[in-house]
Amino acid sequence: MASSGRRRDGCSGPPPRTHRRHAGRLRHGIAVVSLQFATLSGALGCSVSGQPDPTSAAAGWQDASAGVVSRPAVGGGVTAVTSLDDAGRLWTIVFDLATGRRLWSRPSTTSGRPADLGVAPPAVAGPPGRAVVGSVEPRSSGAEVVGRDVRTGSQRWARTVGTTFGPTRCGDSLCLSELTAGKNARFAVLDPVTGKTSWTMPGVAEVEWADRRRVVVFRIAAHPVIEAHDLASGRSLWSFPVEQALGGTVDLSGGWSFGTLDDDLIGYLAPFRARQGASMSAFGFFSLRTEDGALQWVHRRSLRLYPSANPAVALVTGDVDPNDRYGGFTQFNPHTGRAVATIPAPPNSGPERWPAFPADLSALGLLRPGHPGQTYDLRTGGLIAGHVQAWSFCTTTPSPLKINGSTGFFPIPAICPYDMMTGRRLASTEPPPGWYTGAVDGWRVWRDEHGGLHGRHDAEGTVPGMLG
């Protein structure tokens, strides 16, 4: 979530404070969402405590008391989340993906993770029948990353990590940066079944894409680099300095995000202004080919909107001129980088108006909760009159999480439907659109604004959501 007011990176909407890093072709992008995330008519049809509705295989399940604060991880027939209880303790909770039944839980911890990255989700990795859930668990001597059986929670292995950003799945392996608070920080690739180290490299890195052969990482440094490595040996395959695309000097304090669809890796670095009156750091979007790291296109001085689809699915940006003044909006084709729709700067569209999108991403709304907003057709650029339903953040003034021993963390943001004609929030039971949730093998799993967890099998294939 984010606080109200203009973002320091200049976006006309609040960034999810839990995923500041964390980040379509106009017709293609809309088609992806429309085909893979078909909106179901009628009510959600879910019962509480993870029980599916027997009348509809796609109606799904929900657990209203889950207390979820992280993104969900999906794999191995389960979904795993980090939860916060009323006593301020973090837990890893694992659910059966098909039914929503709770399988097991274990204590968790942030272990030196920066609050701007949000609470780390667990990671699910490994071959069928031997998959593990990897998460950060507290120990009297410091934190450990522990691998546990996805179904039973029995411990397979443990690894002392000191401080870490948390584990993540990378292809058939498990990856993490460890000892992140010291000079000996390193990025490690592990066998998820045994916990044994496959290879390491110095520094802190974040996984942005992987398959069974390769992993693409973002090296977090003063001069950040995107690199591809052979997943088995660690051999370097290609390297791309981010400043080569964006020019000038970047500052990661503004945040970053990535998205991948097919062979396109879309990167975004947000601007940062060190002091009042200073110029913004270099920022914008760029696209690399995952196969060889070739630069495909660049759009400097374009801002990511929040909320919005993953930039690899549909890319609608805010425009900034050379004098750091904010203007209109442009939609680019993520595959080619070409502009496919433009909207001039609307009157009275100040920082109190937040982006809002319908389920099919066919329009851009500028929402002012409780007041009439503006909705623009992204195919024509014209204003749309009438009662348009669009999705935006449920709140822009969230409360920080009360985590024992950790401050500054916020839960991942939830989105809610609004009537753009009135600015009123709608009392709808519809699930959020696919551009927000994403999907893994047809499963959509998401956190609602109250920390409840929901799962539905109503999509096709795998596609990234807003937060990755």
Side-chain angles (χ1 to χ4, degrees):
M1 290 290 201
S3 59
S4 59
R6 183 170 294 279
R7 297 177 56 187
R8 66 179 173 183
D9 66 4
C11 276
S12 57
R17 291 177 71 167
T18 62
H19 196 78
R20 214 178 50 182
R21 62 176 179 81
H22 300 182
R25 317 143 190 173
L26 176 60
R27 295 185 179 178
H28 173 76
I30 292 174
V32 167
V33 175
S34 299
L35 291 175
Q36 295 189 330
F37 303 114
T39 301
L40 301 180
S41 60
L44 180 61
C46 296
S47 57
V48 297
S49 302
Q51 297 303 314
D53 182 343
T55 63
S56 173
W61 52 263
Q62 64 174 330
D63 188 322
S65 63
V68 179
V69 293
S70 77
R71 291 183 295 121
V74 177
V78 303
T79 181
V81 298
T82 304
S83 173
L84 180 66
D85 68 16
D86 293 338
R89 298 169 300 192
L90 292 173
W91 295 84
T92 296
I93 305 181
V94 178
F95 301 79
D96 179 81
L97 186 59
T99 67
R101 180 173 61 91
R102 295 194 189 195
L103 298 176
W104 54 271
S105 63
R106 292 292 300 176
S108 183
T109 184
T110 57
S111 183
R113 180 176 170 93
D116 282 334
L117 298 185
V119 178
V124 185
R130 304 179 69 193
V132 303
V133 173
S135 63
V136 185
E137 297 188 12
R139 293 290 185 271
S140 58
S141 57
E144 291 182 331
V145 169
V146 181
R148 296 182 178 276
D149 182 273
V150 294
R151 306 299 302 185
T152 68
S154 61
Q155 181 174 317
R156 296 270 188 84
W157 51 266
R159 179 186 183 91
T160 301
V161 293
T163 54
T164 180
F165 290 178
T168 186
R169 177 184 176 183
C170 51
D172 291 334
S173 300
L174 200 66
C175 294
L176 73 155
S177 290
E178 55 189 4
L179 307 172
T180 52
K183 296 181 179 179
N184 296 323
R186 64 181 184 178
F187 177 82
V189 178
L190 313 180
D191 181 327
V193 177
T194 65
K196 293 182 178 179
T197 304
S198 298
W199 54 273
T200 64
M201 65 181 183
V204 177
E206 178 181 86
V207 175
E208 306 303 350
W209 177 87
D211 63 11
R212 292 185 175 183
R213 299 185 299 112
R214 298 165 294 156
V215 58
V216 176
V217 300
F218 179 56
R219 301 290 295 268
I220 302 171
H223 301 284
V225 175
I226 301 173
E227 295 178 350
H229 293 263
D230 180 84
L231 195 52
S233 66
R235 177 174 58 90
S236 179
L237 302 176
W238 55 260
S239 178
F240 183 86
V242 171
E243 288 169 328
Q244 182 176 321
L246 299 182
T249 301
V250 302
D251 190 323
L252 297 184
S253 301
W256 65 90
S257 61
F258 289 83
T260 307
L261 191 64
D262 301 326
D263 193 36
D264 301 324
L265 174 68
I266 312 298
Y268 171 66
L269 262 63
F272 178 71
R273 198 191 302 270
R275 62 185 183 280
Q276 187 70 26
S279 298
M280 292 180 177
S281 61
F283 65 97
F285 292 86
F286 58 95
S287 174
L288 302 179
R289 201 162 52 207
T290 58
E291 182 65 33
D292 54 12
L295 181 65
Q296 301 187 103
W297 55 259
V298 176
H299 287 293
R300 300 176 180 177
R301 306 191 66 79
S302 291
L303 297 171
R304 184 175 179 185
L305 305 184
Y306 288 100
S308 66
N310 187 284
V313 172
L315 185 53
V316 182
T317 72
D319 304 328
V320 182
D321 71 16
N323 296 316
D324 292 348
R325 293 176 300 201
Y326 309 111
F329 304 91
T330 303
Q331 181 169 26
F332 295 102
N333 177 323
H335 182 63
T336 65
R338 296 173 183 167
V340 293
T342 58
I343 297 172
N348 303 318
S349 59
E352 73 280 4
R353 296 186 182 243
W354 308 107
F357 291 90
D360 65 0
L361 295 174
S362 61
L364 166 65
L366 299 178
L367 173 70
R368 187 183 176 197
H371 301 274
Q374 299 153 309
T375 308
Y376 294 86
D377 190 321
L378 283 171
R379 291 161 293 198
T380 66
L383 275 168
I384 302 175
H387 296 277
V388 177
Q389 176 177 298
W391 294 76
S392 193
F393 289 129
C394 300
T395 179
T396 58
T397 56
S399 299
L401 297 171
K402 297 178 180 179
I403 303 173
N404 295 339
S406 299
T407 59
F409 285 87
F410 290 79
I412 62 165
I415 62 172
C416 293
Y418 293 84
D419 180 348
M420 292 301 300
M421 185 175 180
T422 64
R424 293 175 182 171
R425 183 168 154 182
L426 299 173
S428 172
T429 56
E430 289 184 39
W435 58 258
Y436 167 77
T437 65
V440 177
D441 293 331
W443 274 98
R444 302 199 293 135
V445 182
W446 70 92
R447 171 196 180 270
D448 65 33
E449 64 175 318
H450 304 296
L453 188 67
H454 302 252
R456 294 170 70 99
H457 191 277
D458 62 356
E460 296 178 5
T462 297
V463 67
M466 183 180 82
L467 300 180

